[in-house]
Amino acid sequence: MRRIRRVKRSVRFPVSPTLLRRLAYASIIANVAIVVTGGAVRLTASGLGCPTWPRCTDESYTTTSEMGVHGVIEFGNRLLTFAVGIIALAVVLAVLAQRPRRRGLLPLAVGVLFGIPAQAVLGGITVLTNLNPWVVGLHFLASMVVIAAAYALWRRTVEPDGPATPTVPAPLRTLARITVVVGAAVLVVGTWVTGSGPHAGDHGAARNGLDPEAISQVHADGVFLLIGLSVALLFAFRAVGAARAARAAGVLLAVELGQGLIGFVQYFTHLPALLVAAHMLGSCLVLLATLGVLWATRERLPAAPETPAAPAAEPVGAAA
């Protein structure tokens, strides 16, 4: 009797490494862009353009003509969250479709995907708390965490799957980690400066009560420390012949100097909205450049090919 075998065929949509890298890079750009557009909401006093959340008004999920231009700006920023989420979802699907599947990519891709609605919920809480400056700052910092995760994902897509090996001595790796910590602290204090300043997102929103001049000085001191650490990294990497790490430190230093210049000009020109928006973009670039230095202190080599197992030896006296 003839046996009939049914062959199950699964339809696959292979994803090239190039496409995955481009999607991961697009996720970084999208998350940076929504930080800048979120800043535009605050700088145009449109933070309460939609006075509630998750709806725009008590009766409508979308803006109405009565809300005016502020409602359009705030609702537009909410819509951009969906666009960023769609890109993150596309990255997750691309990771799942890739063959062979790369280890370590899926947790990062899922983390970015779930970080976006979490960040959106924080944005809703800022509205429900009438733009409490501490919540607004937390909302910004949550975006920085998502950007960092998106960057880690992108870097993982361009690396091979071998183990990470250091490219600089251990003391310099420690110095790079300290630089990342100081950079994060500068971002945190920067939200305190923003919370004490005039751009509250709405004319009736409260401020955090900190003295703007004093907290700005603390922020500037942190920036000077960060620049000093970056200069030290640049010369130390050059001294040990770590060219790739030295280039990353040079990029970080250039970004910091540009960001510092914008910060000083905006402070002495009484915080014009355009410069504040540029400073927010610069914060994202400083974060990315700092992470670039950290990644440059190690590298992944291609994974060693698996050695096929040797066939088991026949027992002595076995029949031929």
Side-chain angles (χ1 to χ4, degrees), residues 45-59:
S46 302
L48 295 178
C50 288
T52 189
W53 187 88
R55 299 187 181 211
C56 187
T57 68
D58 291 333
E59 294 79 22

Side-chain angles (χ1 to χ4, degrees), residues 105-184:
L105 291 181
L106 187 58
L108 288 170
V110 171
V112 173
L113 177 61
F114 281 93
I116 292 168
Q119 190 260 10
V121 169
L122 279 173
I125 294 174
T126 64
V127 173
L128 297 177
T129 57
N130 294 318
L131 305 183
N132 181 290
W134 300 107
V135 181
V136 172
L138 186 60
H139 181 47
F140 172 80
L141 294 175
S143 296
M144 296 296 103
V145 173
V146 175
I147 290 173
Y151 179 84
L153 173 62
W154 172 69
R155 289 302 296 257
R156 192 68 185 85
T157 64
V158 301
E159 294 176 331
D161 287 330
T165 57
T167 59
V168 299
L172 295 187
R173 296 200 303 275
T174 301
L175 184 60
R177 295 188 187 102
I178 292 173
T179 303
V180 172
V181 172
V182 172

Side-chain angles (χ1 to χ4, degrees), residues 2-20:
R2 188 177 180 181
R3 299 177 63 185
I4 301 177
R5 296 182 179 179
R6 294 182 179 180
V7 180
K8 296 182 178 180
R9 295 183 178 179
S10 60
V11 180
R12 293 182 179 179
F13 300 93
V15 173
S16 69
T18 300
L19 176 59
L20 180 57

